[in-house]
Amino acid sequence: MGTRKSRIIGVLNAFHAARPWDHNAHFHRWILRTLPRRFDRALDVGCGTGDLARALAARAGAVDALDADADTVARARALTPSSSPVTYTVGSAPEGLPPGPYDVITCVAVLHHLPFTESLQRFRAELAPGGTLVVVGLARPETGADRARDLTSAVSNVAMALVKNRGRKVPRPAAMTAPVKPPTMTLADISREAERVLPGVRVRGRLFWRHTLVWHAETSGSAHRSL
């Protein structure tokens, strides 16, 4: 059974190596649907080559985009029109975050690389009243529900690769060349600690080995709410 499972995994890995697609970019549309149509300032933490930062710029007065890798930031700058309101910074979160307040903070597939609690605390501190924090993250599978969702993801992953790449073999996107680190926190760990730091936060398990976290900073005289 172990040998058969290893062969199946090997076949799937070879298939996806030839037909890669960006699981993180898949959530960009969902992020934009979660956010207001217009806002003043936004911060994208772990911006990579800047795809999400440029999408946020279509709605924002100004976007700060932070990434720890200088070469990646240089590529992001090269891909961004000079007229764009995006400012790229080389730095690490949470200590290197540009100062807020921000109406929107996004963080995609980066939080598991960072000190979890300290990062959420800093995001909360830099978020403007009424502002929105949106995280797309990774969690370590633990429960039967986690494993069932991962199995569904594995099957759906093949279909998505065929659809997105029209069945063709394609080169690996530049946005998918960032270092990979396996997550150590489970979804239950994430939900519990996020609720402690961000009362009213909404954490949900998603397909394609991701979870989402949405939190709205309270406005004056109002309670926290979440989507």
Side-chain angles (χ1 to χ4, degrees):
M1 181 64 70
T3 301
R4 182 181 180 184
K5 182 178 179 181
S6 297
R7 287 176 179 172
I8 293 173
I9 292 174
V11 170
L12 288 173
N13 287 340
F15 174 87
H16 292 298
R19 299 167 183 83
W21 64 277
D22 193 337
H23 297 84
N24 298 324
H26 175 73
F27 285 90
H28 289 180
R29 287 186 181 181
W30 173 84
I31 291 172
L32 294 173
R33 289 197 303 269
T34 304
L35 297 175
R37 290 189 177 274
R38 293 295 303 175
F39 41 86
D40 185 21
R41 295 187 70 202
L43 170 66
D44 184 31
V45 181
C47 65
T49 53
D51 291 345
L52 180 56
R54 288 186 289 273
L56 294 172
R59 299 187 183 186
V63 178
D64 288 330
L66 180 78
D67 199 278
D69 186 77
D71 290 340
T72 300
V73 170
R75 181 172 178 81
R77 286 174 176 150
L79 292 170
T80 303
S82 58
S83 59
S84 173
V86 181
T87 300
Y88 293 99
T89 301
V90 178
S92 300
E95 65 277 359
L97 258 61
Y102 292 100
D103 303 293
V104 166
I105 297 178
T106 57
C107 183
V108 178
V110 176
L111 192 54
H112 67 292
H113 289 269
L114 309 176
F116 184 84
T117 300
E118 293 86 341
S119 296
L120 290 188
Q121 289 171 336
R122 182 65 189 279
F123 296 163
R124 182 187 63 192
E126 301 301 339
L127 204 60
T132 303
L133 168 67
V134 181
V135 173
V136 176
L138 284 73
R140 177 172 60 83
E142 179 187 43
T143 67
D146 294 336
R147 296 185 180 93
R149 189 166 50 246
D150 285 357
L151 179 59
T152 303
S153 295
V155 175
S156 302
N157 201 33
V158 174
M160 290 291 285
L162 291 172
V163 170
K164 286 181 176 290
N165 297 317
R166 299 179 182 178
R168 298 172 299 181
K169 295 183 178 181
V170 296
R172 192 171 183 83
M176 294 178 63
T177 57
V180 176
K181 177 183 177 182
T184 58
M185 296 179 70
T186 67
L187 191 60
D189 296 332
I190 291 166
S191 298
R192 184 168 49 249
E193 185 62 12
E195 176 63 32
R196 189 182 71 81
V197 179
L198 309 171
V201 69
R202 176 70 179 271
V203 178
R204 292 184 60 185
R206 303 280 184 171
L207 289 180
F208 306 122
W209 305 280
R210 300 294 184 269
H211 68 268
T212 58
L213 181 157
V214 180
W215 185 71
H216 299 273
E218 66 179 5
T219 57
S220 177
S222 67
H224 294 297
R225 59 185 179 86
S226 63
L227 295 180

